[in-house]
Amino acid sequence: QQQVKQSPQSLIVQKGGISIINCAYENTAFDYFPWYQQFPGKGPALLIAIRPDVSEKKEGRFTISFNKSAKQFSLHIMDSQPGDSATYFCAASGPGRDDKIIFGKGTRLHILP
Amino acid sequence: GAGVSQSPRYKVAKRGQDVALRCDPISGHVSLFWYQQALGQGPEFLTYFQNEAQLDKSGLPSDRFFAERPEGSVSTLKIQRTQQEDSAVYLCASSLVPRGLSGNTIYFGEGSWLTVV
């Protein structure tokens, strides 16, 4: 059972455009939703994270939108730049026995110069 | 060191060979995690240590996989009698505080790339 479903698998966006990556989760006990960015040959690095008590969190060009009732959350990258080209993973974790971070399968983002 | 350090970065093993992968977490970090990342997939949890205690090994795929962290710092992931399906990147991550505090930032190393031929 895939607990965190991510789409699309790959995404191509023009420089300056908005990149949108979506995730859906199953476990209502999850209470922490991070996004990780991974460049080739590197480990994932935390980009931005949200908790379900807020519907949106913005850090610079990166925004997470969260819909608790739909069990969905998304990453928006505004003014996308070629340097944003990477693989992005949504993830989720919860308290107690759910506190291991569960990752989605990833989205390969390519920003055209 | 400043970050999580893993070695070797690349390992080619013949099927049936034993391998050992090392992780040196950020100094002072209590929590240490091992993840397996197959090509084109997200990382999948293998096991967790809080200091020297292995508190969760629910993700280890078989009894050929064994991890230890005897002094609560460096950890080793050992894979016995490697098989082709073990080919993956093995990521180590560490966190300052114990797992169980949901929302901890965990810091990943660059991974050990294992290819079994």
Side-chain angles (χ1 to χ4, degrees):
Chain A
Q1 179 188 9
Q2 190 181 343
Q3 294 198 58
V4 179
K5 294 182 179 179
Q6 182 172 350
S7 63
Q9 270 190 310
S10 62
L11 181 62
I12 299 174
V13 175
Q14 291 281 352
K15 179 182 174 183
I18 303 173
S19 304
I20 302 174
I21 306 171
N22 300 300
C23 275
Y25 63 96
E26 301 284 332
N27 189 342
T28 55
F30 288 151
D31 65 356
Y32 176 66
F33 302 90
W35 284 89
Y36 284 82
Q37 181 188 55
Q38 186 176 32
F39 292 104
K42 303 294 185 183
L46 179 66
L47 187 63
I48 186 173
I50 196 169
R51 291 196 179 274
D53 52 347
V54 297
S55 60
E56 186 174 282
K57 182 174 182 180
K58 184 176 180 180
E59 290 184 1
R61 296 184 294 109
F62 301 92
T63 300
I64 301 179
S65 297
F66 187 84
N67 185 331
K68 187 174 180 179
S69 61
K71 295 190 288 185
Q72 294 176 347
F73 58 110
S74 60
L75 175 70
H76 292 61
I77 306 174
M78 313 299 287
D79 187 26
S80 300
Q81 299 297 312
D84 297 330
S85 297
T87 299
Y88 292 80
F89 295 96
C90 61
S93 69
R97 297 182 65 179
D98 293 311
D99 65 356
K100 60 173 75 69
I101 294 182
I102 306 296
F103 287 83
K105 290 185 179 292
T107 296
R108 295 185 69 175
L109 174 65
H110 182 66
I111 308 300
L112 296 173
Chain B
V4 177
S5 179
Q6 293 188 245
S7 62
R9 286 297 318 278
Y10 304 95
K11 174 71 177 177
V12 178
K14 291 185 178 179
R15 191 159 49 109
Q17 189 178 358
D18 296 350
V19 300
L21 308 176
R22 176 189 167 104
C23 173
D24 203 339
I26 295 172
S27 179
H29 276 198
V30 168
S31 294
L32 186 144
F33 307 81
W34 283 99
Y35 280 80
Q36 180 190 58
Q37 185 174 22
L39 190 64
Q41 301 294 314
E44 294 198 3
F45 172 82
L46 293 177
T47 188
Y48 164 71
F49 290 86
Q50 182 174 310
N51 296 310
E52 69 278 5
Q54 188 175 20
L55 299 185
D56 187 344
K57 50 184 180 180
S58 62
L60 295 176
S62 77
D63 59 7
R64 296 186 296 105
F65 286 71
F66 171 76
E68 60 183 5
R69 193 186 185 196
E71 297 179 359
S73 55
V74 171
S75 176
T76 304
L77 176 67
K78 297 179 180 177
I79 309 173
Q80 297 177 322
R81 305 181 304 282
T82 52
Q83 300 177 6
Q84 284 190 313
E85 60 261 32
D86 300 334
S87 295
V89 178
Y90 290 86
L91 294 165
C92 178
S94 70
S95 174
L96 181 62
V97 297
R99 198 184 86 173
L101 297 176
S102 179
N104 293 336
T105 298
I106 65 172
Y107 299 89
F108 282 87
E110 295 190 332
S112 289
W113 294 60
L114 173 65
T115 302
V116 181
V117 297

